[in-house]
Amino acid sequence: MDFHDSIIAAVQMIVRNKTQSFLTMLGIVIGIMAVIIVMSLGASAQEFILGQIKNYGSNMVAIVPGVPDSSGAPAAAFGIVTTSLKNRDAESVINSNNPSIEGVSMYVRGSDLVNWQDNTMSVTFYGTTASYPQIENSVVEKGRFFSVDEESSNAMVVVLGSKVATELFGDDNPLGQKIKIRKSNFTIIGVLKSKGGNFIQNQDEEIFVPIKTAQNVLLGINYLDFMRIRVDKTENIDKVKDEVTSILRENHNIDNPSDDDFMIRSVAQALEMISSITDILKFFLVAVSAISLLVGGFGIMNIMLAIVQERIKEIGLRKALGATSSEIVWQFLIETMTITFISGVIGIILGISISFVAAQIINALGYQWTFIVSYDGIIIGCVVSLCIGLIFGIVPALRASKLNPIEALRHE
Amino acid sequence: MLISVKNLKKEFKEGDLTTEVLKGISFDIKKGEFVSIMGPSGSGKSTLMHILGFLDKLSFGKYFFEDNDVSNLSDFELAKMRNQKVGFVFQSFNLLNRMTVLENVTLPLIYSKGFKGEREERAKEILDQMNLSHRLNYLPNSISGGEKQRVAIARALVNKPEVIFADEPTGNLDSKSGFQVMKILQELNDRGNTIILVTHERITAEYASRIITIKDGLLLDDSPVIKRQIAAENQELIK
């Protein structure tokens, strides 16, 4: 009995026993589908997250106050306020005149409800430097950003994120209007172009005032929440980090590196870290969906054992007509593998379709989500479904091949 | 000599208990003979047929097929002998109900070499000889008992075997279909096919030209049939 005959026989069996075959296949279809969806959505999510971070530019270096820990999150992430980073630090970096440093910006932040006429919105306000648009790749759509003079003179001016402008002012022109932040009046001088959000921050929903105004008038503090440095080339990042580290140590009178009270991180570093986290997540999700494949595999084995039991007489007859034991093994193995392979293909098609629909829905919700077909997933799906057929089909097939033809023929 | 058995014994062991079913049987069958193996149930005739038909192995003695010693073949060799040297016709037809008549007849050819087209041609040719050309794509459940047995005979013949073993082939048939089946077997024999018929009925056994009678695992009698039943003479009934 050749391979071709076995496959045709298997397909005929599937077609003739539609209900039974459908139920047999369901476990594997769902399992493979889950793996494909997880791999596809996982790849898309990874691309989405990394894309968001890359929007900042991978040449960005961030300095946050707090005790460094090469792998952990900054203390600020846990709500701990650290006051060690000062304006002076940023000024020292600027004054170092390092040719690789394209710009430095400082940040403090707070939040408040702001309103104009009947419209109210809860916003995060940032005190920052005039260099903000250059550092953050932001574009001013209307009016202008505040100047270096305004930055150092406690000017009561504000630049709005695009969404804040739309929500508060609708079609009206916000330029020249006044809004209250923490009970102080600010004049709107500009509106930023929409940039879209990411999971760290959404500039469109924020407003920006000069750093000293924020520190002195709004927050009453003399420290920075963080600062950012734009480096000219990726390969200069390490050099810049070293120079900034030594400037900050000098400013903070630190001799021993273990006493550092600040952390310097680059976007490239963050990308690497996030890639590894999303890889682990993806692997974990695939592992979880693989469990459903295992369950499906046992389902197949169970049903194939029942099929062998049902077909004892047929096996006896086939042996009487000259089938060898190995031909019986192959017949049942190929039947099982055909069932699991067809299930795998159906699972792959369903998985890709569902990932595609999901991508369309997420896109419709306004996110830049790319639909990614994971070719690895397709190959893995095919191979895994064949392997499941082989692994879970072997026990029923061996059982069938060991039947004594005389007893099998007598079986009723 | 086509078949020659010498002092053939068969024991079945179950735990400590050994049952001797065949207790030393010897006989020869020439090519082209029509032999009935007759005996009451439990006599050992089915076991004998299983051994002669390569479905089972003997415990002691010798079995020569076409002058070759086939007493100690492996399972693989037995399967090949079953496929190429013998054909079976069973009392309960043993057709696969989920396969068409044509597919059932093609089945033995699947286990020997040959292309699909050739196999189907051969199966159609035999089915035509059995007057079943109009039933090729029928499922066994939708044809009569007599037709089923003719399909089974076609299946037994499809690989051009040396011997056809018919185990109570008329047992599940009405008398008319029974005569038809016996007529076919006699015609096959007339054309030179060796037929070994296993039955417990004297009248059925007498369609053969020789009867080997088995009782309690021993050969009781081995003699030619004096007044042979001729199925063709029951032409009226067959019509």
Side-chain angles (χ1 to χ4, degrees):
Chain A
M1 190 169 188
D2 60 34
F3 186 67
H4 180 245
D5 288 324
S6 305
I7 290 186
I8 290 189
V11 172
Q12 280 174 343
M13 198 213 71
I14 293 169
V15 172
R16 279 175 192 158
N17 305 298
K18 287 186 193 72
T19 313
Q20 196 183 33
S21 306
F22 170 74
L23 292 173
T24 311
M25 292 162 89
L26 205 55
I28 304 296
V29 169
I30 293 173
I32 295 281
M33 184 180 82
V35 170
I36 294 288
I37 293 175
V38 164
M39 290 188 85
S40 175
L41 291 188
S44 303
Q46 194 169 33
E47 177 129 328
F48 174 73
I49 294 167
L50 297 182
Q52 293 286 352
I53 296 171
K54 279 182 195 154
N55 270 346
Y56 276 118
S58 23
N59 294 350
M60 185 90 85
V61 171
I63 299 143
V64 288
V67 179
D69 172 351
S70 60
S71 57
F78 303 107
I80 300 165
V81 177
T82 320
T83 60
S84 55
L85 199 65
K86 301 283 192 321
N87 297 31
R88 182 166 80 93
D89 294 322
E91 281 149 15
S92 306
V93 173
I94 296 166
N95 293 336
S96 73
N97 287 324
N98 185 323
S100 298
I101 295 177
E102 288 186 340
V104 180
S105 56
M106 304 178 240
Y107 302 82
V108 291
R109 98 197 112 190
S111 60
D112 197 16
L113 282 175
V114 294
N115 55 65
W116 191 73
Q117 292 179 345
D118 294 335
N119 300 331
T120 307
M121 193 183 178
S122 166
V123 297
T124 300
F125 61 82
Y126 276 88
T128 184
T129 43
S131 56
Y132 177 91
Q134 179 219 347
I135 303 287
E136 303 278 350
N137 281 339
S138 296
V139 178
V140 180
E141 193 174 35
K142 281 183 209 160
R144 59 179 179 86
F145 209 79
F146 45 79
S147 63
V148 179
D149 284 347
E150 283 165 325
E151 182 195 312
S152 50
S153 64
N154 287 353
M156 302 297 275
V157 292
V158 63
V159 176
L160 305 184
S162 64
K163 194 172 173 197
V164 179
T166 330
E167 293 224 346
L168 288 183
F169 293 91
D171 293 333
D172 296 338
N173 184 6
L175 296 183
Q177 303 290 349
K178 283 190 163 36
I179 53 168
K180 269 195 164 65
I181 309 168
R182 298 217 170 161
K183 293 175 187 159
S184 303
N185 274 320
F186 282 79
T187 306
I188 299 166
I189 57 164
V191 176
L192 294 173
K193 197 175 172 191
S194 171
K195 199 178 174 188
N198 60 42
F199 64 98
I200 299 172
Q201 68 177 107
N202 186 351
Q203 178 195 278
D204 299 349
E205 294 174 2
E206 291 156 356
I207 60 177
F208 304 87
V209 298
I211 178 88
K212 284 186 181 148
T213 313
Q215 285 175 317
N216 301 335
V217 180
L218 297 178
L219 299 165
I221 56 173
N222 65 352
Y223 57 82
L224 297 176
D225 284 334
F226 58 96
M227 54 191 262
R228 284 177 179 156
I229 299 168
R230 182 167 287 279
V231 182
D232 59 349
K233 287 182 205 134
T234 315
E235 50 271 30
N236 290 333
I237 286 177
D238 285 338
K239 237 169 34 191
V240 169
K241 275 166 79 176
D242 288 346
E243 172 148 9
V244 172
T245 304
S246 59
I247 292 171
L248 264 63
R249 280 189 190 143
E250 202 184 309
N251 279 359
H252 297 188
N253 297 321
I254 294 166
D255 298 326
N256 188 345
S258 63
D259 294 337
D260 279 356
D261 56 3
F262 57 89
M263 267 189 282
I264 303 182
R265 289 273 170 82
S266 65
V267 169
Q269 232 178 339
L271 279 177
E272 229 170 80
M273 194 168 80
I274 287 167
S275 287
S276 65
I277 293 172
T278 47
D279 277 345
I280 291 168
L281 263 177
K282 229 164 51 171
F283 175 79
F284 174 74
L285 288 172
V286 169
V288 169
S289 27
I291 292 174
S292 63
L293 277 180
L294 197 69
V295 175
F298 281 109
I300 291 263
M301 178 152 81
N302 190 19
I303 288 164
M304 289 312 289
L305 282 173
I307 287 175
V308 168
Q309 195 62 27
E310 255 171 42
R311 285 160 61 183
I312 284 182
K313 203 160 181 161
E314 174 190 332
I315 296 161
L317 176 74
R318 285 181 182 270
K319 286 194 147 188
L321 297 181
T324 60
S325 293
S326 63
E327 280 168 330
I328 298 287
V329 168
W330 273 113
Q331 184 199 331
F332 277 87
L333 264 188
I334 290 171
E335 260 181 41
T336 319
M337 286 168 80
T338 306
I339 292 174
T340 54
F341 184 72
I342 293 175
S343 313
V345 171
I346 296 174
I348 289 168
I349 294 170
L350 284 177
I352 291 176
S353 311
I354 291 172
S355 307
F356 179 75
V357 171
Q360 298 304 309
I361 292 171
I362 297 171
N363 268 325
L365 292 174
Y367 295 92
Q368 286 296 309
W369 188 271
T370 3
F371 164 62
I372 298 174
V373 180
S374 160
Y375 291 101
D376 290 354
I378 293 174
I379 294 164
I380 290 171
C382 290
V383 172
V384 163
S385 57
L386 278 175
C387 289
I388 288 174
L390 188 68
I391 293 165
F392 292 96
I394 194 85
V395 171
L398 284 176
R399 186 172 289 188
S401 76
K402 283 183 183 144
L403 288 172
N404 175 319
I406 301 166
E407 282 166 23
L409 277 172
R410 281 194 194 125
H411 185 87
E412 286 307 327
Chain B
M1 201 60 66
L2 182 67
I3 286 173
S4 178
V5 290
K6 312 262 185 243
N7 193 28
L8 187 150
K9 290 184 185 174
K10 178 67 182 177
E11 289 176 355
F12 288 103
K13 281 185 185 158
E14 215 178 312
D16 294 338
L17 191 72
T18 304
T19 319
E20 203 177 24
V21 179
L22 296 174
K23 298 170 180 169
I25 289 178
S26 304
F27 59 83
D28 296 331
I29 294 173
K30 288 199 278 285
K31 195 169 166 57
E33 271 196 283
F34 190 156
V35 180
S36 284
I37 296 174
M38 199 185 76
S41 53
S43 60
K45 61 183 189 303
S46 289
T47 305
L48 179 59
M49 187 201 83
H50 293 151
I51 291 170
L52 296 180
F54 305 104
L55 283 166
D56 207 351
K57 292 178 183 178
L58 48 83
S59 307
F60 302 101
K62 287 284 177 197
Y63 174 17
F64 295 91
F65 190 90
E66 293 179 320
D67 300 322
N68 296 312
D69 187 353
V70 290
S71 317
N72 296 304
L73 296 184
S74 67
D75 285 343
F76 179 83
E77 290 165 324
L78 285 175
K80 290 292 143 210
M81 291 299 275
R82 287 198 292 272
N83 184 242
Q84 275 141 41
K85 299 291 183 187
V86 301
F88 293 99
V89 178
F90 301 97
Q91 179 177 358
S92 52
F93 323 125
N94 284 338
L95 300 176
L96 294 184
N97 286 326
R98 57 191 174 77
M99 289 189 175
T100 64
V101 163
L102 181 64
E103 286 166 344
N104 266 286
V105 175
T106 318
L107 208 51
L109 298 171
I110 284 177
Y111 299 109
S112 45
K113 300 278 171 246
F115 296 107
K116 192 167 185 270
E118 287 172 31
R119 289 184 218 145
E120 280 191 3
E121 276 316 299
R122 170 74 187 143
K124 280 179 185 166
E125 186 187 315
I126 297 285
L127 281 165
D128 187 43
Q129 286 171 25
M130 295 291 139
N131 293 322
L132 285 167
S133 295
H134 59 302
R135 295 283 193 238
L136 296 185
N137 296 315
Y138 281 61
L139 291 175
N141 281 338
S142 56
I143 60 176
S144 72
E147 287 176 321
K148 282 184 194 172
Q149 199 58 300
R150 273 148 59 202
V151 174
I153 294 172
R155 185 181 61 194
L157 286 170
V158 78
N159 242 354
K160 297 180 181 161
E162 298 298 330
V163 197
I164 291 166
F165 289 94
D167 186 5
E168 307 274 12
T170 58
N172 276 359
L173 299 177
D174 59 60
S175 51
K176 184 183 156 190
S177 306
F179 282 125
Q180 264 179 340
V181 165
M182 293 319 296
K183 182 172 174 263
I184 292 168
L185 291 178
Q186 284 189 327
E187 282 170 0
L188 288 171
N189 180 238
D190 291 344
R191 277 188 253 145
N193 288 286
T194 311
I195 315 267
I196 297 176
L197 174 74
V198 176
T199 182
H200 65 282
E201 287 179 333
R202 174 126 216 124
I203 189 141
T204 310
E206 285 174 349
Y207 282 94
S209 51
R210 173 185 164 197
I211 299 176
I212 294 173
T213 310
I214 308 275
K215 198 179 175 191
D216 298 330
L218 290 166
L219 195 148
L220 194 70
D221 183 47
D222 183 354
S223 51
V225 178
I226 296 160
K227 191 178 180 320
R228 195 178 173 196
Q229 298 277 344
I230 305 296
E233 285 173 4
N234 294 302
Q235 209 63 22
E236 284 307 305
L237 237 162
I238 293 170
K239 276 176 187 167

